[in-house]
Amino acid sequence: MSRRIGICVSAVLLSSATSAWAQGPAAAPAAPRFGLRAFGHFEWQMMAATDTFEAITGKSTLTGVGGGVEVQRLWRGVFARAAVSRMSQSGERIFVFDNIVFPLGVPLDITMTPMELAAGWRFNPIGSRGIVGYLGAGGMFLNYNESSPSDASGEEVSERYNGFLVFGGVEVPVWRFVTAGAEVGWRKVELPDPGGAMGALGEQDLGGVTMRVMVSIRR
Amino acid sequence: MTATTARFSLAAGACALAGLLSIPGASVNAQQPPPPQFLTTATQLAAYAQAATRDLNYLPGEVIVKFRVGVSVNQQARALASVRSRPSTDRLQWIADRTARLVVPEDPDSIAVAANLMRQPEVEYAQPNWLRKPSAVPNDTQFAARQWNMTLLDLPRAWDVSRAAGAGVTVAVIDTGLTSVNATYALKTWNGTAIVTAQVPVGINPDMDASRIVGNRDFVFWTGPVVDFDGHGTHVSGTVAQSTNNNLGYAGVAYGAQIMPLKVCLSFWDIQILQAEAGITGFPPLNVGGCPTSAVVAAVRYAADNGAKVINLSLGGTDASPADLDVMNYALTRGVFVAMSAGNEFEDGNPTTYPASYARGVGGAMAVGAVGRTSVRSFYSTTGDFVEIAAPGGDSREGGANGVVYQSGMLFSDYNPAVVILPRFNRYSDVGYQGTSMASPHVAGIAALLMSQGVTSPAAVEAVIRATAKDLGDPGRDNLYGAGLIQPRTALRGLGVLR
């Protein structure tokens, strides 16, 4: 998975670098007071609850898509971001005894929807390609759902948890108002007393390490 | 064990007759199979009769002896020389590894014989051949208000989760048997004045798919197919795996599972027939019979060695039996889950029940107590620190005739030993029983469902059942309900990420 992510990120960076090179040097326009940017992204989250997700879905990574908006240059390089993602994965319900996992053959669909409110600092462009780095942190809500086809009313899980995140990334101009970027983050969504497989396997965190490939439009 | 037998009187009358399920043509198509060999000798029959008349909880003149590792035949003979009648090693009938049944009718005090043997250095343990009793108490049958037990456990929704309903799993029911043949046997019996040959029809329960009866074996009556001459084993088997969704009769917990009926208990008609076949005149006492430890041990080993993944033992007594513990451990090492009735002696001094109490602290074996319709402990259900779980066993004091557990069983008026001279065992009706005998097969059924779903370790099966039980009584584990009332749907759903 990480290899695939690396290839994607490299491809995006390479293509954007080429485009930027083709544009050539241009006179910097007068910077507006605020900048607005909308973005879409593909996302991978390597779950902190590795054992739980491997036991139920067979993998510890969830994939999803999402998007958000940023208000830039609130003060110098400061920006604010609101973003939402939706990740889902299917697996099967299990029982855990003595650290042995028994899959039960009962299908289980998992959906996670993290909603982020964050702020950060965008550094000055580096080099002639206009590569911009940034760092940020913030809070998040996580809507978590799990359900099985045989669920009766009230048996499906639909919960909301709070957490926080930090992230950092780079972006490069691609074409006019379009930039491409890659971002790495870390989410922490601590559950005080989880039940289910997380409880049985002694895990408490619905966060994890995230990787995003992003395309932005700014004005 | 203070004997509470599995005998029930059916309410004779319209209600019972309305539910009558006969086997058309069973007599018409009667086969005359070659006569099987009977497994119980006249001497042993005398022991059963003596046990009944003297109210003994063991077979007089029989002990179970286990020799230590490496003991030679000569050393075995030396140990046997400690018995007053000095039996030879030919008297040893091997039933398990280094474990034998010793038949010494010359020494009827089995407790003394066992004590003598226990003092010998060659002997690991010796014990009387305890006579266990099926753990059910009498009640009447009625047609109405059946199978509240299935509703109490929310089984219809559990089957939504486990649609295979136990398919691929074999449950051994070690009991009075489950008739596995349609036939009419010419058997001798006593008609009150003479030994006569009677045509005795036996038939498979029409509400039990015959193709799911596998590996049946009789350890006490004869070498022929298993026939239930009592009804207890039929009822217990029905709770485990009665055919379901067949527009007939009753449902079973794991109706996709296979049933392995292993007959280890002799009841009145077994003894009556065996006596007559041996030329012994007269009727045996109505309370004659029981389930000798030697047969139970052999059956458990047979089940474990022949593909059973769940064993139900709805029988028990009040005397410790190392042989039972040994064979239970053998079954567990072979990946077999064992459900056992916790006993019906709460009002008889509430003694510890064996082999159920061996389940305490052993992963993969569970002692099951009984509750009635309102999930309150049944009046008879033995309590103690060995009770691990509770399941519906019925409670007539709480629910009257509607408070017992109903399954499709043999029509009792066809073979009621108090009134019938020439019995038949091929007609089925609605039969209500209550007892921890009835509670245990609910747990065995759930174990089969779990095994079928992939929980293949007996210890894990027990852990699931415990972890998902509905807590009753005092918070947490208690001596009345153990971990609480079984919750099949919750157990079968297992765990998601968060719930």
Side-chain angles (χ1 to χ4, degrees):
Chain A
M1 176 59 77
S2 58
R3 185 177 167 193
R4 202 161 41 177
I5 295 167
I7 292 169
C8 291
V9 171
S10 303
V12 169
L13 292 176
L14 191 60
S15 63
S16 60
T18 306
S19 303
W21 183 264
Q23 286 175 359
R33 177 68 183 88
F34 298 115
L36 196 61
R37 190 169 86 114
F39 61 89
H41 63 256
F42 291 100
E43 180 171 299
W44 296 262
Q45 178 168 330
M46 285 164 280
M47 302 299 299
T50 306
D51 292 342
T52 298
F53 280 84
E54 283 193 347
I56 287 181
T57 69
K59 53 183 78 169
S60 59
T61 302
L62 266 62
T63 58
V65 296
V69 293
E70 279 185 5
V71 181
Q72 298 179 332
R73 294 189 297 277
L74 289 169
W75 179 77
R76 297 193 173 179
V78 173
F79 68 91
R81 170 192 285 188
V84 63
S85 307
R86 185 177 176 84
M87 298 178 284
S88 60
Q89 190 61 266
S90 295
E92 62 182 301
R93 303 179 74 90
I94 62 167
F95 186 74
V96 182
F97 174 70
D98 211 9
N99 286 325
I100 301 171
V101 173
F102 297 93
L104 298 180
V106 181
L108 181 72
D109 296 318
I110 300 162
T111 305
M112 299 206 315
T113 310
M115 292 174 288
E116 307 167 1
L117 291 172
W121 181 266
R122 184 165 262 99
F123 298 98
N124 290 327
I126 303 169
S128 58
R129 295 174 187 167
I131 298 174
V132 174
Y134 58 91
L135 293 172
M140 60 178 287
F141 304 110
L142 176 66
N143 282 347
Y144 176 87
N145 295 276
E146 66 181 44
S147 63
S148 298
S150 59
D151 277 355
S153 175
E155 286 185 329
E156 67 279 3
V157 177
S158 182
E159 301 285 352
R160 172 177 283 196
Y161 301 103
N162 301 327
F164 65 89
L165 73 159
V166 295
F167 56 90
V170 293
E171 59 186 25
V172 294
V174 179
W175 176 74
R176 301 188 68 178
F177 306 115
V178 179
T179 62
E183 183 177 296
V184 177
W186 179 70
R187 291 174 176 148
K188 181 80 171 172
V189 184
E190 187 84 10
L191 279 55
D193 188 18
M198 283 186 73
L201 291 166
E203 295 179 316
Q204 290 189 299
D205 189 357
L206 272 179
V209 175
T210 59
M211 300 182 73
R212 283 178 175 170
V213 177
M214 312 166 71
V215 177
S216 308
I217 299 172
R218 60 179 178 174
R219 66 181 295 266
Chain B
M1 170 177 175
T2 50
T4 48
T5 68
R7 186 89 47 209
F8 288 76
S9 59
L10 277 175
C15 285
L17 291 174
L20 183 65
L21 304 169
S22 63
I23 303 174
S27 297
V28 175
N29 299 326
Q31 308 155 21
Q32 288 290 356
Q37 291 182 317
F38 295 103
L39 295 171
T40 306
T41 65
T43 305
Q44 289 158 350
L45 286 171
Y48 278 98
Q50 199 178 354
T53 52
R54 293 172 54 198
D55 200 21
L56 300 176
N57 55 358
Y58 59 85
L59 282 173
E62 292 196 19
V63 295
I64 308 289
V65 56
K66 183 174 186 181
F67 295 99
R68 294 188 187 281
V69 177
V71 168
S72 68
V73 174
N74 285 340
Q75 289 171 310
Q76 291 168 5
R78 204 218 65 75
L80 295 185
S82 68
V83 178
R84 194 169 51 180
S85 60
R86 296 182 171 267
S88 71
T89 52
D90 295 343
R91 297 281 192 92
L92 294 171
Q93 300 170 10
W94 296 97
I95 57 174
D97 184 32
R98 296 182 281 119
T99 307
R101 169 194 189 192
L102 174 64
V103 181
V104 279
E106 307 87 339
D107 288 297
D109 187 348
S110 301
I111 293 175
V113 172
N116 260 347
L117 286 170
M118 276 293 285
R119 287 193 283 270
Q120 308 312 309
E122 297 86 359
V123 172
E124 187 170 317
Y125 63 74
Q127 62 174 76
N129 196 2
W130 299 118
L131 212 44
R132 304 300 194 196
K133 296 287 184 179
S135 309
V137 295
N139 209 282
D140 296 330
T141 62
Q142 280 201 358
F143 197 76
R146 298 162 296 174
Q147 298 217 281
W148 54 269
N149 48 322
M150 302 284 169
T151 310
L152 181 68
L153 299 180
D154 198 14
L155 271 163
R157 291 204 312 143
W159 294 322
D160 288 345
V161 179
S162 178
R163 294 194 176 275
V169 176
T170 299
V171 181
V173 177
I174 297 177
D175 212 291
T176 64
L178 169 68
T179 300
S180 56
V181 63
N182 293 319
T184 297
Y185 291 104
L187 297 170
K188 290 179 180 166
T189 187
W190 175 253
N191 70 357
T193 55
I195 293 175
V196 296
T197 299
Q199 298 298 313
V200 180
V202 301
I204 298 172
N205 186 340
D207 200 10
M208 178 67 81
D209 176 11
S211 68
R212 290 192 292 114
I213 302 175
V214 299
N216 72 93
R217 181 156 170 186
D218 189 333
F219 291 85
V220 284
F221 182 72
W222 65 6
T223 56
V226 167
V227 175
D228 185 6
F229 289 135
D230 179 86
H232 185 272
T234 298
H235 192 284
V236 168
S237 300
T239 300
V240 175
Q242 199 99 71
S243 292
T244 303
N245 295 325
N246 60 343
N247 291 315
L248 184 66
Y250 292 87
V253 175
Y255 58 83
Q258 295 177 306
I259 288 287
M260 179 188 284
L262 303 179
K263 178 166 176 160
V264 299
C265 305
L266 293 176
S267 56
F268 175 87
W269 284 110
D270 298 286
I271 301 285
Q272 169 70 88
I273 292 165
L274 288 166
Q275 274 193 189
E277 293 285 347
I280 300 169
T281 58
F283 295 113
L286 287 176
N287 67 337
V288 72
C291 323
T293 298
S294 54
V296 174
V297 167
V300 171
R301 284 185 69 94
Y302 175 87
D305 290 342
N306 287 277
K309 286 298 166 195
V310 178
I311 289 174
N312 185 78
L313 281 169
S314 284
L315 46 84
T318 57
D319 302 285
S321 170
D324 286 333
L325 178 59
D326 261 3
V327 80
M328 190 172 77
N329 284 326
Y330 178 81
L332 293 172
T333 59
R334 305 286 299 220
V336 182
F337 175 87
V338 184
M340 291 174 280
S341 52
N344 301 333
E345 285 72 41
F346 181 77
E347 295 185 341
D348 297 318
N350 199 35
T352 300
T353 304
Y354 297 90
S357 66
Y358 291 130
R360 172 180 42 204
V362 175
M366 299 190 85
V368 186
V371 299
R373 296 179 71 122
T374 58
S375 300
V376 173
R377 183 188 66 82
S378 303
F379 68 91
Y380 52 79
S381 187
T382 302
T383 64
D385 62 358
F386 64 94
V387 175
E388 296 187 300
I389 200 74
D395 189 334
S396 59
R397 287 189 193 167
E398 177 195 69
N402 293 336
V404 300
V405 175
Y406 285 89
Q407 295 292 158
S408 173
M410 292 184 299
L411 186 63
F412 188 57
S413 56
D414 277 355
Y415 66 99
N416 179 354
V419 294
V420 171
I421 296 293
L422 302 176
R424 59 187 299 157
F425 302 92
N426 66 336
R427 299 199 297 172
Y428 288 81
S429 181
D430 313 296
V431 176
Y433 279 54
Q434 65 181 349
T436 53
S437 271
M438 284 61 251
S440 181
H442 287 88
V443 174
I446 291 172
L449 298 178
L450 286 165
M451 288 263 188
S452 177
Q453 277 201 275
V455 185
T456 50
S457 148
V461 169
E462 175 172 343
V464 177
I465 292 172
R466 276 175 183 274
T468 56
K470 177 184 177 185
D471 192 14
L472 298 175
D474 293 339
R477 198 220 153 267
D478 61 64
N479 288 349
L480 279 67
Y481 304 96
L485 180 65
I486 52 169
Q487 298 293 296
R489 180 174 168 87
T490 312
L492 292 166
R493 288 186 81 233
L495 304 174
V497 172
L498 293 185
R499 192 185 296 165

